[in-house]
Amino acid sequence: MVFKSEGMRKEIVQNMRGGRGQVEIVHLVERNQLANEARLFARLTLKPGTSIGPHRHENEFEIFFVLSGKGTFYDNDEPTEIEAGDVCLTMSGETHSVENNSNEDLVLLAVIILSPKS
C-alpha cells in the first residue's frame, strides 16, 4: 500500500497539550489504516518558539525521530537537547514534552503504538 503525499491530511493545532504556538501535523497514515495497533504516524513541525506541553502516555508509547532541526525534549521533566538523527522514547506511564528553542524548524516523525491488551 502506498500513501501519496498529496492525499495526506494536514492539521494545525494551537497550543498543543498546553504548549506555545501552532504545531503542524501531517498525518502520514490515517488512524483507521493502522489496524488498531497504533494511533499516530505523523510528521510534526514546530516553528521556532513553539512547544508541545507536558503530557502523560497511558497504555501506549510514543517515539519521536528528529528529522531536522534542534530543540529540547523533556523526559519526565528532565531536559535533553535533541537534533536531527536523535530518537526520543516515552513509555506508558511516562510524561514528556518538547520545545523548539532554536532559529529553525524542528521536524519530528511521531509514532504512537498502543500497548497490547492483556
CSV table of all heavy atoms in Angstrom, one decimal, residues 35-87:
chain,number,residue,atom,x,y,z
A,35,ALA,N,-4.6,-0.5,11.8
A,35,ALA,CA,-5.0,-1.8,12.3
A,35,ALA,C,-5.1,-1.9,13.8
A,35,ALA,O,-4.8,-3.0,14.4
A,35,ALA,CB,-4.0,-2.9,11.7
A,36,ASN,N,-5.6,-0.8,14.4
A,36,ASN,CA,-5.8,-0.8,15.9
A,36,ASN,C,-4.5,-1.2,16.7
A,36,ASN,O,-4.6,-1.5,17.9
A,36,ASN,CB,-6.9,-1.8,16.3
A,36,ASN,CG,-8.2,-1.3,15.7
A,36,ASN,OD1,-8.5,-0.1,15.6
A,36,ASN,ND2,-9.1,-2.2,15.3
A,37,GLU,N,-3.4,-1.1,16.1
A,37,GLU,CA,-2.1,-1.3,16.9
A,37,GLU,C,-1.3,-0.1,17.1
A,37,GLU,O,-0.4,-0.1,17.9
A,37,GLU,CB,-1.3,-2.4,16.1
A,37,GLU,CG,-2.0,-3.7,16.0
A,37,GLU,CD,-1.3,-4.7,15.1
A,37,GLU,OE1,-0.2,-4.3,14.5
A,37,GLU,OE2,-1.8,-5.8,14.9
A,38,ALA,N,-1.8,1.0,16.5
A,38,ALA,CA,-1.1,2.3,16.6
A,38,ALA,C,-2.2,3.3,16.5
A,38,ALA,O,-3.3,3.1,15.9
A,38,ALA,CB,0.0,2.5,15.6
A,39,ARG,N,-1.9,4.5,17.0
A,39,ARG,CA,-2.9,5.6,16.9
A,39,ARG,C,-2.4,6.8,16.2
A,39,ARG,O,-3.1,7.8,15.9
A,39,ARG,CB,-3.6,5.9,18.2
A,39,ARG,CG,-2.8,6.7,19.2
A,39,ARG,CD,-3.7,7.2,20.3
A,39,ARG,NE,-3.0,8.0,21.3
A,39,ARG,CZ,-2.8,9.3,21.2
A,39,ARG,NH1,-3.3,10.0,20.3
A,39,ARG,NH2,-2.2,9.9,22.2
A,40,LEU,N,-1.1,6.8,15.9
A,40,LEU,CA,-0.5,8.0,15.2
A,40,LEU,C,0.8,7.6,14.4
A,40,LEU,O,1.6,6.9,15.0
A,40,LEU,CB,-0.1,9.1,16.2
A,40,LEU,CG,0.4,10.4,15.6
A,40,LEU,CD1,-0.7,11.2,14.9
A,40,LEU,CD2,1.1,11.2,16.7
A,41,PHE,N,0.8,8.1,13.2
A,41,PHE,CA,2.0,8.0,12.4
A,41,PHE,C,2.0,9.3,11.6
A,41,PHE,O,1.3,9.5,10.7
A,41,PHE,CB,2.1,6.8,11.5
A,41,PHE,CG,3.3,6.7,10.7
A,41,PHE,CD1,4.5,6.5,11.3
A,41,PHE,CD2,3.3,6.7,9.3
A,41,PHE,CE1,5.7,6.4,10.5
A,41,PHE,CE2,4.4,6.6,8.5
A,41,PHE,CZ,5.7,6.4,9.2
A,42,ALA,N,2.8,10.3,12.1
A,42,ALA,CA,2.7,11.7,11.5
A,42,ALA,C,4.0,12.4,11.6
A,42,ALA,O,5.0,12.0,12.3
A,42,ALA,CB,1.7,12.4,12.4
A,43,ARG,N,4.1,13.5,10.8
A,43,ARG,CA,5.2,14.4,10.8
A,43,ARG,C,4.8,15.7,11.5
A,43,ARG,O,3.7,16.2,11.1
A,43,ARG,CB,5.7,14.7,9.4
A,43,ARG,CG,6.9,15.6,9.3
A,43,ARG,CD,7.4,15.9,7.9
A,43,ARG,NE,6.4,16.7,7.3
A,43,ARG,CZ,5.9,16.5,6.1
A,43,ARG,NH1,6.2,15.4,5.4
A,43,ARG,NH2,4.9,17.3,5.5
A,44,LEU,N,5.5,16.0,12.5
A,44,LEU,CA,5.2,17.2,13.3
A,44,LEU,C,6.2,18.3,13.0
A,44,LEU,O,7.4,18.0,13.0
A,44,LEU,CB,5.2,17.0,14.8
A,44,LEU,CG,4.4,15.7,15.3
A,44,LEU,CD1,4.6,15.6,16.8
A,44,LEU,CD2,3.0,15.8,15.0
A,45,THR,N,5.7,19.5,12.8
A,45,THR,CA,6.7,20.6,12.6
A,45,THR,C,6.4,21.7,13.6
A,45,THR,O,5.3,22.2,13.8
A,45,THR,CB,6.5,21.2,11.1
A,45,THR,OG1,6.7,20.2,10.2
A,45,THR,CG2,7.5,22.4,10.9
A,46,LEU,N,7.5,22.0,14.4
A,46,LEU,CA,7.4,23.1,15.4
A,46,LEU,C,8.3,24.2,14.9
A,46,LEU,O,9.5,24.1,14.7
A,46,LEU,CB,7.9,22.6,16.7
A,46,LEU,CG,7.0,21.6,17.5
A,46,LEU,CD1,7.1,20.2,16.9
A,46,LEU,CD2,7.4,21.6,19.0
A,47,LYS,N,7.6,25.3,14.7
A,47,LYS,CA,8.4,26.6,14.3
A,47,LYS,C,9.2,27.0,15.5
A,47,LYS,O,8.9,26.7,16.6
A,47,LYS,CB,7.4,27.6,13.8
A,47,LYS,CG,6.6,27.3,12.6
A,47,LYS,CD,7.5,27.4,11.4
A,47,LYS,CE,6.6,27.2,10.1
A,47,LYS,NZ,7.5,27.0,8.9
A,48,PRO,N,10.2,27.9,15.3
A,48,PRO,CA,10.9,28.5,16.4
A,48,PRO,C,9.9,29.1,17.5
A,48,PRO,O,9.0,29.8,17.1
A,48,PRO,CB,11.8,29.5,15.8
A,48,PRO,CG,12.0,29.0,14.4
A,48,PRO,CD,10.7,28.4,14.0
A,49,GLY,N,10.2,28.8,18.7
A,49,GLY,CA,9.4,29.3,19.8
A,49,GLY,C,8.1,28.5,20.1
A,49,GLY,O,7.4,28.8,21.1
A,50,THR,N,7.9,27.4,19.4
A,50,THR,CA,6.7,26.5,19.5
A,50,THR,C,7.1,25.4,20.4
A,50,THR,O,8.2,24.9,20.5
A,50,THR,CB,6.3,26.0,18.1
A,50,THR,OG1,5.9,27.1,17.3
A,50,THR,CG2,5.1,25.1,18.3
A,51,SER,N,6.1,24.9,21.2
A,51,SER,CA,6.3,23.7,22.0
A,51,SER,C,5.0,22.9,22.1
A,51,SER,O,3.9,23.3,21.8
A,51,SER,CB,6.7,24.2,23.4
A,51,SER,OG,5.6,24.9,24.1
A,52,ILE,N,5.2,21.6,22.5
A,52,ILE,CA,4.1,20.7,22.9
A,52,ILE,C,4.2,20.6,24.4
A,52,ILE,O,5.3,20.2,24.9
A,52,ILE,CB,4.3,19.3,22.2
A,52,ILE,CG1,4.2,19.5,20.6
A,52,ILE,CG2,3.2,18.4,22.7
A,52,ILE,CD1,4.6,18.2,19.9
A,53,GLY,N,3.2,20.9,25.1
A,53,GLY,CA,3.2,20.9,26.5
A,53,GLY,C,3.3,19.5,27.1
A,53,GLY,O,3.1,18.4,26.4
A,54,PRO,N,3.7,19.4,28.4
A,54,PRO,CA,3.8,18.1,29.1
A,54,PRO,C,2.5,17.3,29.1
A,54,PRO,O,1.5,17.9,29.4
A,54,PRO,CB,4.3,18.5,30.5
A,54,PRO,CG,4.1,19.9,30.6
A,54,PRO,CD,3.9,20.5,29.3
A,55,HIS,N,2.6,16.0,28.8
A,55,HIS,CA,1.5,15.1,28.8
A,55,HIS,C,2.0,13.7,29.1
A,55,HIS,O,3.1,13.4,28.8
A,55,HIS,CB,0.7,15.2,27.6
A,55,HIS,CG,1.4,14.9,26.3
A,55,HIS,ND1,2.3,15.7,25.7
A,55,HIS,CD2,1.4,13.8,25.6
A,55,HIS,CE1,2.8,15.2,24.7
A,55,HIS,NE2,2.3,14.0,24.5
A,56,ARG,N,1.1,12.9,29.6
A,56,ARG,CA,1.4,11.5,30.0
A,56,ARG,C,0.8,10.6,29.0
A,56,ARG,O,-0.3,10.8,28.5
A,56,ARG,CB,0.8,11.3,31.4
A,56,ARG,CG,1.1,10.0,32.0
A,56,ARG,CD,0.5,9.9,33.4
A,56,ARG,NE,1.0,8.9,34.3
A,56,ARG,CZ,2.1,9.0,35.0
A,56,ARG,NH1,2.8,10.1,35.0
A,56,ARG,NH2,2.5,8.0,35.7
A,57,HIS,N,1.5,9.5,28.8
A,57,HIS,CA,1.0,8.4,27.9
A,57,HIS,C,0.6,7.2,28.8
A,57,HIS,O,1.4,6.8,29.7
A,57,HIS,CB,2.1,8.0,26.9
A,57,HIS,CG,2.2,9.0,25.8
A,57,HIS,ND1,1.4,9.0,24.6
A,57,HIS,CD2,3.0,10.1,25.7
A,57,HIS,CE1,1.7,10.0,23.9
A,57,HIS,NE2,2.7,10.7,24.5
A,58,GLU,N,-0.6,6.7,28.6
A,58,GLU,CA,-1.1,5.6,29.3
A,58,GLU,C,-1.5,4.5,28.3
A,58,GLU,O,-2.2,4.8,27.3
A,58,GLU,CB,-2.3,5.9,30.2
A,58,GLU,CG,-1.9,6.9,31.3
A,58,GLU,CD,-1.1,6.2,32.4
A,58,GLU,OE1,-0.9,5.0,32.5
A,58,GLU,OE2,-0.5,7.0,33.3
A,59,ASN,N,-1.1,3.3,28.5
A,59,ASN,CA,-1.5,2.2,27.6
A,59,ASN,C,-1.0,2.4,26.2
A,59,ASN,O,-1.6,1.9,25.2
A,59,ASN,CB,-3.0,1.9,27.7
A,59,ASN,CG,-3.4,1.6,29.1
A,59,ASN,OD1,-2.8,0.8,29.8
A,59,ASN,ND2,-4.5,2.3,29.5
A,60,GLU,N,0.1,3.1,26.0
A,60,GLU,CA,0.7,3.3,24.7
A,60,GLU,C,2.1,3.9,24.9
A,60,GLU,O,2.5,4.3,26.1
A,60,GLU,CB,-0.1,4.3,23.9
A,60,GLU,CG,-0.2,5.7,24.6
A,60,GLU,CD,-1.1,6.7,23.9
A,60,GLU,OE1,-2.0,6.2,23.2
A,60,GLU,OE2,-1.0,7.9,24.1
A,61,PHE,N,2.9,3.9,23.9
A,61,PHE,CA,4.2,4.5,24.0
A,61,PHE,C,4.4,5.3,22.7
A,61,PHE,O,3.8,5.1,21.7
A,61,PHE,CB,5.4,3.6,24.3
A,61,PHE,CG,5.6,2.6,23.2
A,61,PHE,CD1,6.6,2.8,22.2
A,61,PHE,CD2,5.0,1.3,23.2
A,61,PHE,CE1,6.8,1.8,21.2
A,61,PHE,CE2,5.2,0.4,22.2
A,61,PHE,CZ,6.1,0.6,21.2
A,62,GLU,N,5.2,6.4,22.8
A,62,GLU,CA,5.5,7.3,21.7
A,62,GLU,C,7.0,7.4,21.3
A,62,GLU,O,7.8,7.4,22.2
A,62,GLU,CB,4.9,8.7,21.9
A,62,GLU,CG,5.1,9.6,20.7
A,62,GLU,CD,4.3,10.9,20.8
A,62,GLU,OE1,3.9,11.3,22.0
A,62,GLU,OE2,4.0,11.5,19.8
A,63,ILE,N,7.2,7.4,20.1
A,63,ILE,CA,8.6,7.5,19.6
A,63,ILE,C,8.6,8.8,18.7
A,63,ILE,O,7.8,9.0,17.8
A,63,ILE,CB,9.0,6.3,18.7
A,63,ILE,CG1,8.9,5.0,19.5
A,63,ILE,CG2,10.4,6.5,18.2
A,63,ILE,CD1,8.9,3.8,18.6
A,64,PHE,N,9.6,9.6,19.0
A,64,PHE,CA,9.9,10.8,18.1
A,64,PHE,C,11.3,10.5,17.4
A,64,PHE,O,12.2,10.1,18.1
A,64,PHE,CB,10.1,12.1,18.9
A,64,PHE,CG,8.9,12.7,19.4
A,64,PHE,CD1,9.0,13.6,20.5
A,64,PHE,CD2,7.6,12.6,18.8
A,64,PHE,CE1,7.9,14.2,21.0
A,64,PHE,CE2,6.5,13.2,19.3
A,64,PHE,CZ,6.6,14.0,20.4
A,65,PHE,N,11.3,10.6,16.1
A,65,PHE,CA,12.6,10.6,15.4
A,65,PHE,C,12.8,12.0,14.9
A,65,PHE,O,11.9,12.5,14.2
A,65,PHE,CB,12.6,9.6,14.3
A,65,PHE,CG,13.8,9.6,13.4
A,65,PHE,CD1,15.0,9.1,14.0
A,65,PHE,CD2,13.8,10.1,12.2
A,65,PHE,CE1,16.2,9.1,13.2
A,65,PHE,CE2,15.0,10.1,11.4
A,65,PHE,CZ,16.2,9.6,12.0
A,66,VAL,N,13.9,12.6,15.2
A,66,VAL,CA,14.1,14.0,14.8
A,66,VAL,C,14.7,14.0,13.4
A,66,VAL,O,15.8,13.6,13.1
A,66,VAL,CB,15.1,14.7,15.8
A,66,VAL,CG1,15.3,16.2,15.4
A,66,VAL,CG2,14.7,14.6,17.2
A,67,LEU,N,13.8,14.5,12.5
A,67,LEU,CA,14.2,14.6,11.1
A,67,LEU,C,15.1,15.7,10.8
A,67,LEU,O,16.0,15.6,10.0
A,67,LEU,CB,12.9,14.7,10.2
A,67,LEU,CG,12.0,13.4,10.3
A,67,LEU,CD1,10.6,13.8,9.6
A,67,LEU,CD2,12.6,12.3,9.6
A,68,SER,N,14.8,16.9,11.4
A,68,SER,CA,15.6,18.1,11.2
A,68,SER,C,15.4,19.1,12.3
A,68,SER,O,14.4,19.0,13.0
A,68,SER,CB,15.4,18.7,9.8
A,68,SER,OG,14.0,19.2,9.7
A,69,GLY,N,16.4,20.0,12.4
A,69,GLY,CA,16.3,21.0,13.5
A,69,GLY,C,16.9,20.6,14.8
A,69,GLY,O,17.5,19.5,14.9
A,70,LYS,N,16.7,21.4,15.8
A,70,LYS,CA,17.1,21.2,17.2
A,70,LYS,C,16.1,21.7,18.1
A,70,LYS,O,15.2,22.5,17.8
A,70,LYS,CB,18.4,22.0,17.4
A,70,LYS,CG,19.6,21.6,16.5
A,70,LYS,CD,20.8,22.4,16.8
A,70,LYS,CE,21.9,22.0,15.9
A,70,LYS,NZ,23.2,22.7,16.2
A,71,GLY,N,16.2,21.2,19.4
A,71,GLY,CA,15.2,21.6,20.4
A,71,GLY,C,15.6,21.0,21.7
A,71,GLY,O,16.7,20.5,21.9
A,72,THR,N,14.6,21.0,22.6
A,72,THR,CA,14.8,20.4,23.9
A,72,THR,C,13.6,19.4,24.1
A,72,THR,O,12.5,19.8,24.0
A,72,THR,CB,14.8,21.5,25.0
A,72,THR,OG1,15.8,22.4,24.8
A,72,THR,CG2,15.0,20.8,26.4
A,73,PHE,N,14.0,18.2,24.5
A,73,PHE,CA,13.0,17.2,24.8
A,73,PHE,C,13.0,17.0,26.3
A,73,PHE,O,14.1,16.9,26.9
A,73,PHE,CB,13.4,15.8,24.1
A,73,PHE,CG,12.4,14.7,24.4
A,73,PHE,CD1,11.2,14.6,23.7
A,73,PHE,CD2,12.8,13.7,25.4
A,73,PHE,CE1,10.4,13.6,24.0
A,73,PHE,CE2,11.9,12.7,25.6
A,73,PHE,CZ,10.7,12.6,24.9
A,74,TYR,N,11.8,17.0,26.9
A,74,TYR,CA,11.7,16.8,28.4
A,74,TYR,C,11.2,15.4,28.7
A,74,TYR,O,10.0,15.1,28.4
A,74,TYR,CB,10.8,17.9,29.0
A,74,TYR,CG,11.4,19.3,28.9
A,74,TYR,CD1,11.1,20.0,27.7
A,74,TYR,CD2,12.1,19.8,29.9
A,74,TYR,CE1,11.7,21.3,27.6
A,74,TYR,CE2,12.7,21.1,29.8
A,74,TYR,CZ,12.5,21.8,28.6
A,74,TYR,OH,13.0,23.1,28.5
A,75,ASP,N,12.0,14.6,29.2
A,75,ASP,CA,11.7,13.2,29.5
A,75,ASP,C,11.4,13.1,31.0
A,75,ASP,O,12.3,13.2,31.8
A,75,ASP,CB,12.9,12.3,29.1
A,75,ASP,CG,12.6,10.8,29.4
A,75,ASP,OD1,11.5,10.4,29.7
A,75,ASP,OD2,13.6,10.1,29.3
A,76,ASN,N,10.1,13.1,31.4
A,76,ASN,CA,9.7,13.1,32.8
A,76,ASN,C,10.4,14.4,33.5
A,76,ASN,O,11.0,14.2,34.5
A,76,ASN,CB,10.1,11.8,33.5
A,76,ASN,CG,9.3,10.7,33.0
A,76,ASN,OD1,8.1,10.7,33.0
A,76,ASN,ND2,10.0,9.7,32.5
A,77,ASP,N,10.2,15.5,32.8
A,77,ASP,CA,10.7,16.8,33.3
A,77,ASP,C,12.3,17.0,33.2
A,77,ASP,O,12.8,18.0,33.5
A,77,ASP,CB,10.3,17.1,34.7
A,77,ASP,CG,8.8,17.3,34.8
A,77,ASP,OD1,8.2,17.8,33.8
A,77,ASP,OD2,8.2,16.9,35.8
A,78,GLU,N,13.0,15.9,32.7
A,78,GLU,CA,14.5,16.0,32.6
A,78,GLU,C,14.8,16.5,31.2
A,78,GLU,O,14.5,15.8,30.2
A,78,GLU,CB,15.1,14.6,32.8
A,78,GLU,CG,16.6,14.6,32.8
A,78,GLU,CD,17.2,15.4,34.0
A,78,GLU,OE1,16.6,15.4,35.1
A,78,GLU,OE2,18.3,16.0,33.8
A,79,PRO,N,15.4,17.7,31.0
A,79,PRO,CA,15.6,18.3,29.7
A,79,PRO,C,16.9,17.6,29.0
A,79,PRO,O,17.9,17.4,29.7
A,79,PRO,CB,15.9,19.7,29.9
A,79,PRO,CG,16.4,19.8,31.4
A,79,PRO,CD,15.7,18.7,32.1
A,80,THR,N,16.7,17.4,27.7
A,80,THR,CA,17.9,16.9,26.9
A,80,THR,C,17.8,17.6,25.6
A,80,THR,O,16.7,17.7,25.0
A,80,THR,CB,17.8,15.4,26.7
A,80,THR,OG1,17.8,14.7,27.9
A,80,THR,CG2,18.9,14.9,25.9
A,81,GLU,N,18.9,18.2,25.1
A,81,GLU,CA,19.0,18.8,23.8
A,81,GLU,C,18.9,17.7,22.8
A,81,GLU,O,19.5,16.7,22.9
A,81,GLU,CB,20.3,19.6,23.7
A,81,GLU,CG,20.4,20.7,24.7
A,81,GLU,CD,19.2,21.7,24.7
A,81,GLU,OE1,18.8,22.2,23.6
A,81,GLU,OE2,18.6,21.9,25.8
A,82,ILE,N,18.1,18.0,21.7
A,82,ILE,CA,17.9,17.0,20.6
A,82,ILE,C,18.2,17.7,19.3
A,82,ILE,O,18.2,18.9,19.2
A,82,ILE,CB,16.5,16.4,20.6
A,82,ILE,CG1,15.4,17.5,20.5
A,82,ILE,CG2,16.3,15.5,21.8
A,82,ILE,CD1,14.0,16.9,20.3
A,83,GLU,N,18.6,16.8,18.3
A,83,GLU,CA,18.9,17.3,17.0
A,83,GLU,C,18.7,16.2,16.0
A,83,GLU,O,18.4,15.0,16.4
A,83,GLU,CB,20.4,17.8,16.9
A,83,GLU,CG,21.4,16.7,17.2
A,83,GLU,CD,22.8,17.2,17.2
A,83,GLU,OE1,23.0,18.4,17.1
A,83,GLU,OE2,23.7,16.4,17.3
A,84,ALA,N,18.7,16.5,14.7
A,84,ALA,CA,18.5,15.5,13.6
A,84,ALA,C,19.2,14.2,13.9
A,84,ALA,O,20.4,14.2,14.2
A,84,ALA,CB,18.9,16.1,12.3
A,85,GLY,N,18.5,13.1,13.7
A,85,GLY,CA,19.0,11.8,13.9
A,85,GLY,C,18.8,11.2,15.3
A,85,GLY,O,18.9,10.0,15.5
A,86,ASP,N,18.4,12.0,16.3
A,86,ASP,CA,18.1,11.5,17.6
A,86,ASP,C,16.7,10.9,17.7
A,86,ASP,O,15.8,11.2,16.9
A,86,ASP,CB,18.1,12.7,18.6
A,86,ASP,CG,19.5,13.2,18.9
A,86,ASP,OD1,20.5,12.6,18.5
A,86,ASP,OD2,19.6,14.3,19.5
A,87,VAL,N,16.6,9.9,18.6
A,87,VAL,CA,15.3,9.2,18.9
A,87,VAL,C,14.9,9.5,20.3
A,87,VAL,O,15.7,9.3,21.2
A,87,VAL,CB,15.4,7.7,18.6
A,87,VAL,CG1,14.1,7.0,19.0
A,87,VAL,CG2,15.7,7.4,17.1
